[in-house]
């Protein structure tokens, strides 16, 4: 039995923002540097343990190195399905962790030190690709789930819904999704930017919030098989051998989950409340799958991946043959206390999930 739980959740506590400091929010979340997170407020006092905890002072580099992200990139090259997802309430630092700060002028790139897990992973992948000669072929697809519709963020024109299908061999997959080859850091950074802008504009057209959709960027890593070994030096007797190193196909998927707000807190109504309900429903479905997966193997019942598009798309990485790194993002502010506690409880539950990569 090769069940493992290779990447337990990492937790990142962001610093108080300027506006939180200005309005006098207190810091109620602390880490003592020993893998524990303390939440202490008037009526709450709780301690959680995780394998990796990053406090307000942690750099983007420290998160990349300390979360196991580099190993995840290497596993994808070795042919595994790898997924990293950031979750937590809106404003908790998910996008910052994955992509770095998004400034007003999105065309101006962030300072190199502030680049997120995604750009660092791309650099790592391309470095590996270069050092292995040209036997790694890389391509990217970028999808969002908005109001339970799957949309392609790389195809030109206004986003249109794509069907999500299931087959015995492939599991759940998105029909007709675009996959774009890339060979340089600039090219993949450009795809990420294009897709993110498309996601943003479609969100802005409907409301002022960003991140009202779940976004999934997948890098497909194909290592080309070594050509048939020559068994003789005379071309006529050249026999293609089954290659000693079969071709492998791994994936590295980055998931930026939409925030989990309560509908009544955001005062949403009409279209916004439909949107918030869809987000909550899919996050609930995800939480439900995770808590069922966390049960001991023998006690597991049917896992309801079909309950949402999000869980269908994540089915393989969550329960099947994938390796998942989760980064729980929390705000240290006293005003976010209840959301912070619920994120930490969610992360604790996810700690017990095992997969068979
Ligand atoms: P989310 O994607 O979860 O809604 P963001 O990533 O957009 O949240 O972060 C909200 C705000 O906090 C942004 O202004 C972001 O730049 C800032 N922020 C988040 N994490 C950090 C961090 N670790 N260090 C400094 N600023 C951060
Ligand atoms: Mg975001």
């Amino acid at each position: 039995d090769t069940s493992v739980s290779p990447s337990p959740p990492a937790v990142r506590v962001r610093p108080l923002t300027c506006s939180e400091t200005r309005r006098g929010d207190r810091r109620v979340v602390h880490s003592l540097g020993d893998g524990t997170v303390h939440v202490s407020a008037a009526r709450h006092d709780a301690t959680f343990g995780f394998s990796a905890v990053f406090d307000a002072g942690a750099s983007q580099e420290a998160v990349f190195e300390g979360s196991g992200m580099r190993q995840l990139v290497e596993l994808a090259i070795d042919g595994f399905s790898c997924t990293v997802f950031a979750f937590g309430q809106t404003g908790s630092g998910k996008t910052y962790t994955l992509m770095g700060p998004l400034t007003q002028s999105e065309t101006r790139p962030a300072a190199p030190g502030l680049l997120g897990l995604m750009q660092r992973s791309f650099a790592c992948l391309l470095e590996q690709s270069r050092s292995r000669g040209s036997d790694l072929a890389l391509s990217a697809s970028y999808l969002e789930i908005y109001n339970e519709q799957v949309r392609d963020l790389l195809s030109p024109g206004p986003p249109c819904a794509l069907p999500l299908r299931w087959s015995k061999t492939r599991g759940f997959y998105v029909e007709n999704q675009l996959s774009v080859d890339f060979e340089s850091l600039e090219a993949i950074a450009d795809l990420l930017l294009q897709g993110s802008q498309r996601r943003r504009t479609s969100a802005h057209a409907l409301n002022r919030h960003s991140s009202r959709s779940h976004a999934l960027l997948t890098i497909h890593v194909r290592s080309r098989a070594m050509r048939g070994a020559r068994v003789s030096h005379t071309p006529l007797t050249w026999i293609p051998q089954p290659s000693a190193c079969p071709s492998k196909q791994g994936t590295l998927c980055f998931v930026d989950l939409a925030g989990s707000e309560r509908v009544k807190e955001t005062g949403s109504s009409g279209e916004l409340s439909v949107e918030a309900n869809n987000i909550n429903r899919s996050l609930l479905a995800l939480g439900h799958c995770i808590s069922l997966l966390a049960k001991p193997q023998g006690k597991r019942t049917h896992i309801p991946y079909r309950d949402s598009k999000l869980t269908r798309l994540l089915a393989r990485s969550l329960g099947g043959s994938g390796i998942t790194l989760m980064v729980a993002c929390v705000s240290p502010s006293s005003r976010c206390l209840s959301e912070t506690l619920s994120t930490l409880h969610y992360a604790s539950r996810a700690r017990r999930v095992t997969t068979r990569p």
Side-chain angles (χ1 to χ4, degrees), residues 12 23 79 94 129 187 197 202 209 220 227 230 255 312:
R12 186 177 204 184
R23 70 184 184 201
K94 300 182 294 294
S129 164
Q197 275 169 347
S202 70
H209 298 265
H220 307 270
R227 265 149 241 126
R230 287 164 198 266
V255 187
R312 277 182 236 187

Side-chain angles (χ1 to χ4, degrees), residues 113-357:
L114 298 182
L115 292 174
L117 291 179
M118 291 170 96
Q119 296 94 335
R120 285 168 202 275
S121 303
F122 302 157
C124 184
L125 261 175
L126 286 155
E127 224 167 79
Q128 293 271 337
S129 164
R130 223 160 289 137
S131 71
R132 288 168 185 232
S134 60
D135 64 341
L136 282 190
L138 304 172
S139 63
S141 53
Y142 200 3
L143 301 170
E144 74 172 344
I145 305 174
Y146 178 77
N147 270 343
E148 280 303 279
Q149 283 190 342
V150 181
R151 299 159 158 190
D152 200 322
L153 290 171
L154 292 184
S155 67
C160 64
L162 295 178
L164 182 53
R165 310 219 183 273
W166 188 86
S167 87
K168 231 176 192 155
T169 48
R170 298 175 66 180
F172 293 106
Y173 67 97
V174 177
E175 198 169 71
N176 298 329
Q177 75 171 324
L178 213 63
S179 179
V180 182
D181 293 341
F182 65 91
E183 286 180 346
S184 71
L185 205 51
E186 293 71 44
I188 180 62
D190 202 45
L191 288 173
L192 177 63
L193 186 69
Q194 277 174 34
S196 305
Q197 275 169 347
R198 206 161 274 136
R199 180 185 179 196
R200 234 139 238 274
T201 23
S202 70
H204 280 292
L206 289 159
N207 65 77
R208 293 278 152 77
H209 298 265
S210 57
S211 296
R212 305 315 289 155
S213 67
H214 308 297
L216 291 84
L217 179 104
T218 307
I219 307 289
H220 307 270
V221 188
R222 260 173 300 128
S223 45
R224 300 183 185 113
M226 297 200 313
R227 265 149 241 126
R230 287 164 198 266
V231 289
S232 157
H233 292 292
T234 33
L236 285 176
T237 55
W238 185 86
I239 304 163
Q241 293 284 98
S243 120
C245 166
S247 80
K248 288 178 283 196
Q249 190 155 350
T251 51
L252 184 57
C253 180
F254 298 86
V255 187
D256 187 10
L257 292 175
S260 55
E261 278 83 17
R262 284 190 216 105
V263 177
K264 67 172 187 319
E265 269 175 27
T266 47
S268 308
S269 62
E271 194 148 30
L272 283 186
S273 107
V274 172
E275 202 180 79
N277 279 325
N278 274 321
I279 293 170
N280 286 340
R281 204 145 43 86
S282 60
L283 289 174
L284 214 62
L286 181 62
H288 190 203
C289 288
I290 287 175
S291 63
L292 288 174
L293 286 164
K295 288 188 175 170
Q297 205 80 224
K299 292 193 176 160
R300 272 193 205 170
T301 47
H302 165 74
I303 313 287
Y305 294 116
R306 284 180 187 272
D307 281 3
S308 75
K309 297 259 161 81
L310 178 67
T311 44
R312 277 182 236 187
L313 281 177
L314 293 179
R316 187 160 31 146
S317 49
L318 280 180
S321 52
I323 302 167
T324 301
L325 167 64
M326 299 185 215
V327 186
C329 296
V330 295
S331 152
S333 161
S334 46
R335 297 208 186 195
C336 300
L337 184 63
S338 70
E339 288 288 353
T340 294
L341 284 169
S342 96
T343 301
L344 292 172
H345 282 300
Y346 196 98
S348 304
R349 228 180 308 153
R351 207 147 61 109
R352 297 193 299 267
V353 176
T354 55
T355 59
R356 295 155 188 272

Side-chain angles (χ1 to χ4, degrees), residues 12 14-15 17 89-96:
R12 186 177 204 184
R14 70 157 166 75
T17 60
Q89 76 179 118
T90 292
S92 61
K94 300 182 294 294
T95 304
Y96 185 95

